[in-house]
Amino acid sequence: MHTKLQRKVPYGVLAIFLCGMPFAGAAQTSDEIVAKVLAARGGLEKAKAVQSERITGTIYFNPELYGPFLAEFKRPGKMHNEVTIQNKTVVRTFNGKDAGWVINPFAGKDVPEPMSAEALKDAMNESDFDGPLVDAKAKGNVIELAGTEKVEGRQTYILKVTHKDGQVSSYSFDTKTFLLAKWSGVDSVNGETVTRETVFHDYRDVGGLKFAFELVSNSPGADVTQRIVVDKIELDPQIDDANFGKPHAPAAPPAASPASAPPGKL
C-alpha cells in the first residue's frame, strides 16, 4: 500500500543481488516471493481490511526547499494529494473512476484543471490501494522475477511488474525481511520521460502492517534528491468522498487596505 507515495506521492516513491556464495532462495518463483512479501507486510487479509489511509509528513527537495504533504487514499482507487512549498499548494485528486484534477500554482495553474491522459494513467496506478502485486492477474499486471541486486548493501530480489497499460516498474525486496528496499520506474515530467528510483527506510508497525517512514527518491545521474519523512499514518480515517472530486480553487488573498495619506496632504 505504501508504495503509492512514490510516487507520487506521491501519495508515490516510492522500492537485487548476486553474491559469490549460494543462497537458499535462488530457486524461488515470483509467486513465492510475492506471498512472502505480503506476509512480511502483515498479511493479505489484514491489508485488504483497511478501507482508507491518510499519510502526513514533510517533503524535502533541499535544505531550504521543503514543506508539508498530505496523501489520502480510499477504496476503490480514490486519491487526494497536497504538497505545500513556499506558501503555494499543489493539489492532485482522482475520483477512482475516470477523472482527475490538478492545481499547480508553480505552473501557473491556480484553478483546478483536468489531468492529462498521461497524468490520469499515472494516477490510476498510484491510487491502486493494495499495490500492483495484489490480485495482479485480475488487474492485468504481469509479474516476473528479474534477477537480484544489492540495494545499499542489502541483498534483494527484483520483481518486474508490467502494468495493464504497458508501464513497467521494478520492485526490489530484501531477501531476509521481504520488505521493499527500492522501487524504480519512469515518470512523465512536463511531457518528458524521467527515470526514478526510490529507496525505503525506517519501517514501523502501524495497526499490524509495516510501513516505511522515510523514502528517498532521485533520478540516476542527476543531482536532485527528494526525501519524504512521514510523521503519521492513519488507517481507516473518515474521509469525505468530496475530497477525491474536483478540488476547490484556493481563496484569493485579501485585498490590501488603501494606504493612508501622509499628514498634511489631505
Side-chain angles (χ1 to χ4, degrees):
M1 286 157 33
H2 199 34
T3 56
K4 298 181 289 290
L5 268 185
Q6 57 270 343
R7 325 267 301 316
K8 269 84 7 133
V9 331
Y11 139 274
V13 175
L14 321 153
I16 301 194
F17 81 95
L18 183 61
C19 58
M21 56 189 295
F23 52 96
Q28 293 190 92
T29 66
S30 59
D31 286 344
E32 290 170 335
I33 293 173
V34 168
K36 292 183 178 181
V37 165
L38 298 178
R41 284 291 318 285
L44 182 58
E45 182 178 355
K46 186 170 291 184
K48 282 195 168 185
V50 177
Q51 298 300 306
S52 62
E53 182 180 328
R54 178 182 292 121
I55 306 169
T56 52
T58 305
I59 183 168
Y60 298 85
F61 296 97
N62 61 49
E64 290 77 37
L65 192 63
Y66 60 90
F69 77 86
L70 162 72
E72 293 180 326
F73 303 93
K74 187 175 182 179
R75 294 186 189 274
K78 300 174 183 178
M79 177 189 74
H80 178 109
N81 290 345
E82 294 184 12
V83 176
T84 301
I85 302 290
Q86 296 176 336
N87 297 318
K88 296 181 179 180
T89 300
V90 177
V91 181
R92 299 169 63 247
T93 65
F94 178 62
N95 68 359
K97 297 177 181 178
D98 54 7
W101 296 268
V102 177
I103 298 174
N104 186 358
F106 294 98
K109 300 177 180 179
D110 295 318
V111 297
E113 295 186 1
M115 286 185 176
S116 66
E118 189 67 25
L120 196 59
K121 184 168 66 173
D122 288 341
M124 288 179 179
N125 286 332
E126 179 183 347
S127 60
D128 181 349
F129 199 90
D130 295 312
L133 303 186
V134 176
D135 299 328
K137 291 182 180 179
K139 295 173 183 175
N141 298 336
V142 176
I143 302 174
E144 305 169 73
L145 178 56
T148 60
E149 70 173 351
K150 280 193 173 182
V151 176
E152 298 182 327
R154 292 174 285 173
Q155 298 175 336
T156 67
Y157 295 112
I158 305 171
L159 291 184
K160 174 186 172 183
V161 178
T162 303
H163 298 264
K164 182 179 180 180
D165 61 11
Q167 290 192 14
V168 178
S169 301
S170 293
Y171 297 80
S172 301
F173 294 95
D174 190 300
T175 59
K176 293 182 179 179
T177 65
F178 286 93
L179 295 175
L180 182 62
K182 186 181 81 172
W183 168 90
S184 60
V186 296
D187 279 339
S188 179
V189 179
N190 297 325
E192 297 183 5
T193 299
V194 178
T195 301
R196 301 281 195 197
E197 289 185 353
T198 299
V199 292
F200 299 81
H201 304 122
D202 190 16
Y203 275 91
R204 304 181 196 177
D205 185 285
V206 179
L209 294 168
K210 295 289 187 182
F211 292 88
F213 272 65
E214 182 185 54
L215 300 82
V216 180
S217 303
N218 59 47
S219 298
D223 295 331
V224 178
T225 298
Q226 171 185 297
R227 178 170 171 255
I228 289 175
V229 177
V230 175
D231 294 328
K232 186 177 182 180
I233 296 177
E234 301 171 68
L235 302 183
D236 288 323
Q238 294 295 317
I239 306 175
D240 193 320
D241 281 345
N243 281 26
F244 307 103
K246 185 177 180 180
H248 297 291
S257 301
S260 300
K265 296 295 183 179
L266 297 178

